[in-house]
Amino acid sequence: MIELAPGLVYFPDFYARAEQEEMLALLRAGVKAAPLFTPRMPRTGKAFSVRMTNFGSLGWVSDRERGYRYDSVHPETSAAWPAIPELVLKAWREASDYAHSPEACLLNFYDADARMGLHQDRDEAALEAPVVSISLGDSCLFRAGSESRSGKTKSFRLNSGDVLVIGGASRLCFHGVDKIYPRTSTLLPDGGRINLTMRRVTRPA
Ligand code: MD3
Ligand code: FE
């Protein structure tokens, strides 16, 4: 366990290869029920290069008309999201010290050309809860800054099986994914990167 910055805690190789393979099979079953969709920016309608789906009682979605939000159903099928697999929840329970369960697990799929621009995660009412991220497949170069968009940033690499816990002083920091390193993992036969982020959305009673 390595503290990359205050509240930004890195667990390299949290999941062994066999667990990553087991998780991938569980995620594929989920994606069959809740297909990847292309989110769009509010107002402009510009497409994200990352495709997404969700697990859990709430999923993060975005479109031109209604913007960023959490919704209990898939934007294209209108079906409830699949449950968060226990193997995924293991990272939340063992790497974070938050007492309540996550409600959302956003799956981001990056092909070799996908990126995620610098942004804050602030669509959750439960900002005292951490975000827990799991990386699978090709490695990426990830960047984290401060609570100001123009603040200085530091870059780190995330590899398949790594877990990152974002809480405390890091919870509202700007962050993004600058680059995917193609063919750095054999987990996904056709390449690419999957990131899962678990979030508590509503404040616990
Ligand atoms: C650092 N995902 O889905 S996860 C996102 O790799 C998102 O797909 C990225 O940003 C990805 O919103 C990064 C790790 C992460 C999440 C939130 C952070 C790192 C963070 C908040 C502050 C600092
Ligand atoms: Fe984010």
Side-chain angles (χ1 to χ4, degrees), residues 34-53:
L36 293 171
F37 62 91
T38 299
R40 293 184 173 274
M41 299 292 289
R43 296 176 291 280
T44 64
K46 185 177 158 49
F48 282 59
S49 60
V50 175
R51 290 186 298 151
M52 300 180 175
T53 189

Side-chain angles (χ1 to χ4, degrees), residues 116 119-121 175 199:
M116 189 174 289
H119 68 278
Q120 291 171 297
D121 291 12
H175 59 281
R199 300 115 187 279

Side-chain angles (χ1 to χ4, degrees), residues 106 108 116-117 119-122 131 173-176 197 199:
L106 173 62
N108 295 147
M116 189 174 289
H119 68 278
Q120 291 171 297
D121 291 12
R122 39 184 270 179
V131 173
C173 287
F174 278 86
H175 59 281
T197 45
R199 300 115 187 279

Side-chain angles (χ1 to χ4, degrees), residues 134-152:
I134 303 170
S135 292
L136 294 173
D138 287 334
S139 300
C140 78
L141 186 67
F142 144 85
R143 183 167 18 161
S146 69
E147 291 187 13
S148 155
R149 176 177 290 282
S150 56
K152 74 171 173 51

Side-chain angles (χ1 to χ4, degrees), residues 50-108:
V50 175
R51 290 186 298 151
M52 300 180 175
T53 189
N54 291 273
F55 296 80
S57 56
L58 292 171
W60 188 89
V61 298
S62 181
D63 56 35
R64 181 200 293 259
E65 295 76 19
R66 297 172 67 197
Y68 304 155
R69 65 196 187 276
Y70 281 93
D71 202 324
S72 59
V73 297
H74 190 286
E76 292 167 2
T77 69
S78 298
W81 306 103
I84 307 175
E86 260 320 307
L87 185 58
V88 172
L89 289 169
K90 179 172 120 145
W92 180 274
R93 304 210 195 289
E94 295 181 8
S96 92
D97 52 12
Y98 188 71
H100 305 276
S101 294
E103 295 164 302
C105 175
L106 173 62
L107 184 158
N108 295 147

